[in-house]
Amino acid sequence: MPSTQTPTGPTTAATATAIADAARRLTAGLLPLLAEADLLDSPAAWSGADTPAGFFRLEPVHLDHDLELLTGWMNDPEVAAYWELSGPASVTAAHLRTQLDGDGRSIPCLGLLDGTPMSYWEIYRADLDPISRHYPARPHDTGIHLLIGDGTNRGRGLGTGLLRAVANLVLDNRPRCTRVIAEPDIRNTPSVSAFLNSGFRCSSELDLPGKRAALMIRERALRNLI
């Protein structure tokens, strides 16, 4: 009659080791998938923020009615110098469609100040972006790109307040994100200054395709100190 006792000794140990090894391999294989499964919730659901300049909120771009406005901004010489998207509407549309038709790891948004569109933002998963190959990324690092669209809003210190507000919105709405990062062109002194004044620190300089960038980081752990 076959024994009903549970095997003991070397067989059990070997089985346990094999199971543990398989679990480690499975976990390692699933990590990228698990990271991608939690990309970005839509900033449309985020509340806005009071800033010294007024009430600010992010609204995801709708290509059908925002394209003309964004094309105009991209053709502003001060913007075009760093974004390099000047030209017909098709150029701006192609840039936006890459994100809008993607998997959600980058979300293009308009920044509205007291209800008026005045800036453009991209909120993206930096740890899943090509930039992660250029710095020691952490899981759920969230990046931001921005431009102030109307020249009358530049040079007034608006960028500092808006950057602080958006960084706080990211940290408030993405609990697993421990850092907000950005990589402005090192030549863009007003942008770099705005990041520094809004609580980011310059961690290093990066040689990225097409530019040398300042890696700006705002840590969740220091958000109340700076």
Side-chain angles (χ1 to χ4, degrees):
M1 181 176 182
S3 172
T4 58
Q5 296 180 344
T6 302
T8 59
T11 302
T12 300
T15 301
T17 299
I19 292 173
D21 288 343
R24 279 193 292 271
R25 289 194 299 272
L26 182 61
T27 300
L30 279 177
L31 281 177
L33 299 177
L34 291 173
E36 291 187 14
D38 176 32
L39 292 168
L40 285 170
D41 59 312
S42 175
W46 298 358
S47 61
D50 288 313
T51 75
F55 186 75
F56 180 83
R57 66 184 177 88
L58 293 172
E59 181 177 289
V61 165
H62 297 281
L63 198 59
D64 55 347
H65 60 75
D66 297 329
L67 181 58
E68 182 179 356
L69 175 65
L70 290 170
T71 299
W73 290 351
M74 293 300 182
N75 279 278
D76 182 300
E78 291 187 40
V79 172
Y82 298 106
W83 283 75
E84 299 180 346
L85 290 172
S86 60
S90 59
V91 175
T92 300
H95 177 77
L96 294 170
R97 285 197 183 97
T98 299
Q99 300 170 82
L100 296 171
D101 297 341
D103 60 7
R105 69 183 64 194
S106 181
I107 301 177
C109 298
L110 288 178
L112 279 65
L113 190 60
D114 288 334
T116 300
M118 48 72 64
S119 54
Y120 171 71
W121 302 74
E122 293 173 353
I123 312 298
Y124 68 98
R125 279 286 298 270
D127 58 326
L128 301 178
D129 187 83
I131 193 177
S132 65
R133 299 194 290 266
H134 298 272
Y135 83 103
R138 296 179 189 169
H140 299 282
D141 275 357
T142 302
I144 56 177
H145 298 139
L146 80 150
L147 66 87
I148 304 297
D150 186 341
T152 61
N153 286 319
R154 300 183 200 130
R156 298 169 43 201
L158 276 176
T160 295
L162 298 185
L163 279 169
R164 185 179 292 274
V166 171
N168 285 338
L169 285 173
V170 170
L171 294 173
D172 287 342
N173 289 280
R174 308 209 71 247
R176 283 189 280 183
C177 169
T178 62
R179 305 188 302 182
V180 182
I181 74 109
E183 16 82 21
D185 192 306
I186 198 71
R187 299 169 300 162
N188 193 345
T189 304
S191 180
V192 172
S193 296
F195 278 105
L196 292 172
N197 291 333
S198 61
F200 286 75
R201 63 181 174 85
C202 184
S203 174
S204 63
E205 294 185 12
L206 306 177
D207 286 315
L208 302 178
K211 69 177 181 181
R212 184 164 181 80
L215 177 63
M216 312 301 296
I217 296 178
R218 188 170 185 209
E219 303 270 0
R220 176 185 293 277
L222 301 178
R223 67 179 295 188
N224 295 323
L225 302 178
I226 51 179

